Amino acid sequence: MNILSIQSHVTFGHVGNSAAVFPLQRAGHEVWPIHTVNFSNHTGYGDWGGPLTPASEVTAIVDGLERRGALEQVDAVLSGYQGGADIAGAIVETVRRVKEANPNALYACDPVMGNAKSGCFVSDEIPPLLRDKVVPVADIITPNQFELGFLTGQETTTLEQTLEAVRAAQEIGPRTVLVTSVLRPQTPEDSIEMLAVDGQRAYLVATPRLPFKRNGSGDVTAALFTGHYTATRDAQLALARTASSIFDLLQLTYEAEATELALIESQEYFASPRLQFEVQELG
């Protein structure tokens, strides 16, 4: 699979393309990254250096790929943290051009906005653009539970509410929705769930919940699910492989007390997921 990944880049640590490219490569995919920012580190540190990439430069890179005849070889476009508000239009136009060259290509959007603990951490211009302009052209979206609620304007406290919000998101455009960091009243304190809905079929997987969080884990999740789903068109298998790899990545990071994801140390788990968690199909 050839995946065109339009996301942020950091020199230090692992978020955006710096989190997505290597796991996808170890999973067996060719990845062509386009960086929406070129920062020293992720913004969670409160201080960083480096520029946003103007939309015109993103488009110029896509123009160059088109001259190489590469767009028709793209199997999936993946987008994540967008940086400037002007990037949304460049992404949508890139998706249009890729699908014109290869109608079988998929577009996976990770609508990065924030989380339940921190709230929104992107520019106020970004969430409406994602909801109104980007998500409607996506085949796959990978929001966390908080982001799903924002996109749809619905409560996501229970599993039933979350499924209703997924159906509302599907009405906007995407057929396939992966919801990460799912918590509900029935969830044990030591567990966390992921929900994947593909058309009418829904799948749920629970993994142990580790008592910490590291930036970039959502980026790896979106990347791996996109790669596995694009290769197999099987949401259940893609969810099982992704959940397995992400848990092992986080467990290694936690055990090492690392401040950034232990991406290199976890590479065998990307190449050969252990599939240690059962995926339940919801009736």
Side-chain angles (χ1 to χ4, degrees):
M1 297 288 105
N2 298 319
I3 298 175
L4 180 63
S5 182
I6 308 174
Q7 300 195 56
S8 61
H9 168 78
V10 295
T11 299
F12 174 81
H14 300 294
V15 299
N17 273 331
S18 304
V21 173
F22 180 68
L24 282 170
Q25 290 172 330
R26 289 296 285 127
H29 305 294
E30 182 68 64
V31 190
W32 302 335
I34 299 177
H35 304 323
T36 57
V37 308
N38 189 14
F39 287 168
S40 56
N41 49 268
H42 69 70
T43 58
Y45 283 100
D47 173 76
W48 64 93
L52 299 171
T53 304
S56 59
E57 292 187 16
V58 171
T59 300
I61 294 170
V62 176
D63 290 343
L65 291 174
E66 186 172 48
R67 292 194 295 272
R68 303 287 77 74
L71 296 189
E72 64 193 41
Q73 302 174 47
V74 174
D75 296 294
V77 179
L78 170 65
S79 71
Y81 181 80
Q82 296 193 12
D86 58 342
I87 296 295
I91 291 173
V92 170
E93 178 60 15
T94 298
V95 170
R96 185 196 65 76
R97 293 168 67 178
V98 166
K99 290 197 168 196
E100 187 176 82
N102 178 14
N104 293 320
L106 297 175
Y107 169 42
C109 170
D110 184 12
V112 178
M113 292 182 282
N115 55 61
K117 183 177 181 180
S118 305
C120 276
F121 50 66
V122 297
S123 161
D124 291 343
E125 299 171 284
I126 297 294
L129 281 171
L130 285 168
R131 181 190 61 215
D132 301 333
K133 189 169 186 176
V134 183
V135 170
V137 303
D139 301 291
I140 303 166
I141 60 171
T142 59
N144 59 39
Q145 200 171 18
F146 169 84
E147 291 162 340
L148 176 66
F150 179 89
L151 287 172
T152 61
Q154 298 197 17
E155 291 290 329
T156 57
T157 303
T158 68
L159 180 59
E160 292 74 19
Q161 288 174 335
T162 302
L163 283 167
E164 287 178 9
V166 167
R167 301 301 182 197
Q170 287 177 314
E171 290 179 4
I172 298 174
R175 168 189 169 85
T176 306
V177 180
L178 174 71
V179 187
T180 63
S181 302
V182 174
L183 293 171
R184 54 193 176 109
Q186 295 84 0
T187 306
E189 281 192 18
D190 60 352
S191 294
I192 195 163
E193 295 171 315
M194 279 198 287
L195 171 71
V197 181
D198 189 29
Q200 296 301 310
R201 303 185 75 172
Y203 307 96
L204 191 69
V205 63
T207 63
R209 185 181 185 186
L210 298 170
F212 84 129
K213 183 184 182 302
R214 288 293 178 268
N215 291 73
S217 58
D219 302 327
V220 183
T221 302
L224 288 176
F225 183 83
T226 297
H228 292 313
Y229 183 85
T230 302
T232 65
R233 305 296 170 116
D234 184 332
Q236 186 173 20
L237 180 58
L239 179 60
R241 289 176 174 173
T242 301
S244 173
S245 298
I246 293 300
F247 173 74
D248 285 328
L249 165 64
L250 290 175
Q251 185 174 50
L252 272 181
T253 303
Y254 179 68
E255 290 173 349
E257 298 182 352
T259 57
E260 294 283 347
L261 293 174
L263 211 67
I264 306 305
E265 297 85 343
S266 304
Q267 60 183 289
E268 290 306 317
Y269 297 126
F270 307 140
S272 302
R274 293 192 293 144
L275 299 178
Q276 68 270 45
F277 304 114
E278 180 183 359
V279 175
Q280 172 191 0
E281 181 167 8
L282 303 178

